[in-house]
Amino acid sequence: MSKFNFWHFFLIYIQNICLYDIMYLVMIMYEYINGKVTMIESNHIVLENNGIGYLIYVGNPYSYSEGKEYIVYIYQHVREDENTLYGFKNMEEKDMFLRLIEVKGLGCKMALPMLASGSIDSLWNAIEGENV
């Protein structure tokens, strides 16, 4: 009788997981981070939570104040060569961002400034009126 080999079983299990399932798990890793803004740059903020500073790309970093505490809703973008956090002040912004990046040819780096250009309603009106 052969011994149960955990690693052999684990490798077989991993091979049978669909890539979509893995990406789904990664996409929902962070819903939000609650912390204090410790740095503001032209395209990102650093949000400190429990001694860890998270670099988060945001549409309008100057809408945050250094030293204040915020809840920042997060989208984690994971690729072979990148693991980036994108942040939003509310779920409405995050939902719009997720819809924008579904458009073929429109990535995270193009969608984020679109959110900073105006209100969510005006962006919806521009999309519906094909005035983008």
Side-chain angles (χ1 to χ4, degrees), residues 8-132:
H8 179 71
F9 174 77
F10 182 72
L11 289 174
I12 291 171
Y13 176 75
I14 291 296
Q15 290 172 349
N16 291 323
I17 292 179
C18 176
L19 180 61
Y20 177 78
D21 293 335
I22 293 171
M23 289 307 295
Y24 180 74
L25 289 173
V26 169
M27 282 177 28
I28 61 169
M29 186 172 204
Y30 301 112
E31 184 66 28
Y32 66 87
I33 299 174
N34 185 5
K36 186 186 295 185
V37 173
T38 58
M39 187 184 312
I40 300 172
E41 294 295 328
S42 61
N43 62 351
H44 69 273
I45 61 171
V46 175
L47 190 72
E48 185 179 330
N49 176 286
N50 290 325
I52 300 172
Y54 296 93
L55 190 147
I56 304 170
Y57 290 94
V58 293
N60 184 4
Y62 300 111
S63 67
Y64 295 86
S65 298
E66 213 169 301
K68 280 193 165 183
E69 195 164 306
Y70 293 92
I71 293 176
V72 179
Y73 295 90
I74 298 295
Y75 169 74
Q76 184 178 16
H77 185 70
V78 179
R79 295 289 180 257
E80 290 177 6
D81 58 344
E82 150 180 33
N83 187 356
T84 308
L85 297 177
Y86 293 91
F88 312 94
K89 282 199 165 188
N90 55 52
M91 284 300 294
E92 190 177 61
E93 277 186 13
K94 182 179 177 181
D95 290 339
M96 175 59 85
F97 177 81
L98 293 174
R99 290 181 181 176
L100 287 171
I101 63 174
E102 287 178 1
V103 175
K104 187 176 180 177
L106 187 63
C108 297
K109 290 181 177 135
M110 284 182 64
L112 196 61
M114 291 174 75
L115 292 174
S117 64
S119 73
I120 299 296
D121 290 334
S122 64
L123 187 56
W124 267 119
N125 292 336
I127 290 170
E128 287 176 356
E130 297 179 7
N131 189 17
V132 179

